[in-house]
């Protein structure tokens, strides 16, 4: 990779590496070694492991200091959502990291540059590389990670695909009404290969939400989401 390509990527990342090899290392997917023998045992997985540990501490410390009213349980749920594949992959896409990945031709042809699992991993690898490049200065890695993750943390409820509305509704129902919500299929439409289920969820025999989905599980999530919104039940009280 040419120097000017590094410059463009560093500009997108908002960080200038003293050791450019660390950045390159963070971008090497394990498939690259299948076609480049010199990289057979060189990939970003070790940096990913390091970055994962750094990210875990960055996010946990931020949540501990900024969500002082949240319980340990809520903090744990929030952390698992923030460091999840969809969130990290979203950040990688916003930074345009996929364009710079070193992949095998096969991996690239099958959409590897935009695969969430790869993009989530490479974000952790880049964070690990920044940590090492800074001389293992956690404050540098924390400042960088916080800058990119702060918005995601404070708007986590907008990532509805990450939220288990059924569990949230059940916890609310058991706490407030001492009963478990009941889900009922009220309509099935479409052919077998494209079924649509309409489900109503009730608490104490009162309908509180309605949802649709291609299967019962997704329809129940949709109904629980509708119920949470109507009842004013938040995923996390501190948000």
């Amino acid at each position: 990779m040419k120097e000017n390509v590094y410059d463009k990527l560093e500009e997108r990342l908002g960080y200038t590496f003293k050791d450019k090899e660390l950045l390159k290392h963070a971008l090497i997917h394990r498939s690259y070694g299948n076609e480049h023998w010199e990289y057979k045992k060189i990939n970003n997985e070790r940096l990913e492991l390091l970055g994962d540990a750094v990210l875990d501490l960055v996010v946990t410390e931020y949540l501990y200091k900024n969500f002082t009213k949240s319980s340990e349980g809520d903090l744990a749920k929030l952390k698992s959502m923030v460091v999840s594949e969809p969130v990290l992959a979203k950040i990688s896409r916003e930074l345009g990291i996929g364009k710079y990945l070193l992949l095998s031709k096969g991996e690239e042809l099958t959409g590897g540059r935009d695969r969430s699992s790869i993009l989530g991993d490479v974000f952790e690898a880049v964070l690990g590389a920044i940590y090492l490049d800074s001389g293992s200065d956690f404050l540098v890695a924390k400042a960088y990670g916080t800058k990119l993750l702060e918005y995601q943390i404070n708007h986590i409820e907008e990532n509805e695909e990450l939220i288990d509305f059924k569990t949230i509704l059940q916890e609310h129902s058991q706490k407030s009404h001492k009963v478990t919500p009941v889900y009922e299929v009220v309509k099935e439409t479409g052919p077998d290969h494209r079924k649509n289920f309409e489900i109503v969820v009730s608490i104490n025999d009162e309908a509180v939400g309605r949802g649709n989905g291609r299967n019962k599980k997704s329809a129940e999530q949709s109904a629980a989401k509708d119920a949470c919104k109507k009842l004013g039940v938040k995923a996390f009280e501190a948000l």
Side-chain angles (χ1 to χ4, degrees), residues 50-80:
L50 176 61
D52 176 70
V54 173
L55 180 66
D56 193 68
L57 182 54
V58 168
V59 173
T60 301
E61 181 181 321
Y62 182 91
L63 295 177
Y64 181 84
K65 290 182 175 179
N66 291 278
F67 293 82
T68 57
K69 295 181 181 179
S70 294
S71 66
E72 180 273 340
D74 266 0
L75 291 181
K77 290 177 187 176
L78 267 169
K79 187 191 76 171
S80 67

Side-chain angles (χ1 to χ4, degrees), residues 23-75:
L23 175 56
K24 180 180 179 180
H25 202 152
L27 301 170
I28 302 173
H29 185 257
R30 64 177 177 271
S31 67
Y32 194 67
N34 296 335
E35 298 168 357
H36 301 81
W37 65 268
E38 66 271 33
Y39 291 98
K40 190 66 179 178
K41 295 183 179 180
I42 302 174
N43 57 58
N44 64 4
E45 292 179 351
R46 283 165 52 86
L47 280 174
E48 176 199 335
L49 177 67
L50 176 61
D52 176 70
V54 173
L55 180 66
D56 193 68
L57 182 54
V58 168
V59 173
T60 301
E61 181 181 321
Y62 182 91
L63 295 177
Y64 181 84
K65 290 182 175 179
N66 291 278
F67 293 82
T68 57
K69 295 181 181 179
S70 294
S71 66
E72 180 273 340
D74 266 0
L75 291 181

Side-chain angles (χ1 to χ4, degrees), residues 9-148:
L9 177 55
E10 288 173 328
E11 185 178 340
R12 296 295 301 271
L13 292 174
Y15 181 88
T16 301
F17 279 82
K18 295 184 285 290
D19 183 355
K20 307 297 183 185
E21 284 300 309
L22 271 174
L23 175 56
K24 180 180 179 180
H25 202 152
L27 301 170
I28 302 173
H29 185 257
R30 64 177 177 271
S31 67
Y32 194 67
N34 296 335
E35 298 168 357
H36 301 81
W37 65 268
E38 66 271 33
Y39 291 98
K40 190 66 179 178
K41 295 183 179 180
I42 302 174
N43 57 58
N44 64 4
E45 292 179 351
R46 283 165 52 86
L47 280 174
E48 176 199 335
L49 177 67
L50 176 61
D52 176 70
V54 173
L55 180 66
D56 193 68
L57 182 54
V58 168
V59 173
T60 301
E61 181 181 321
Y62 182 91
L63 295 177
Y64 181 84
K65 290 182 175 179
N66 291 278
F67 293 82
T68 57
K69 295 181 181 179
S70 294
S71 66
E72 180 273 340
D74 266 0
L75 291 181
K77 290 177 187 176
L78 267 169
K79 187 191 76 171
S80 67
M81 290 168 66
V82 173
V83 302
S84 66
E85 180 183 295
V87 171
L88 301 185
K90 180 181 179 181
I91 295 173
S92 284
R93 288 190 180 98
E94 291 173 351
L95 294 171
I97 296 177
K99 175 183 176 181
Y100 301 92
L101 285 167
L102 296 174
L103 305 167
S104 68
K105 291 179 181 177
E107 191 67 55
E108 183 163 4
L109 288 172
T110 57
R113 291 196 184 280
D114 194 49
R115 185 168 297 126
S116 291
S117 58
I118 293 177
L119 291 177
D121 290 345
V122 75
F123 176 80
E124 292 179 329
V126 168
L127 184 61
I130 288 173
Y131 173 73
L132 291 179
D133 190 69
S134 68
S136 300
D137 188 337
F138 176 69
L139 293 180
V140 172
K142 182 173 78 168
Y144 184 81
T146 300
K147 178 180 69 174
L148 293 179

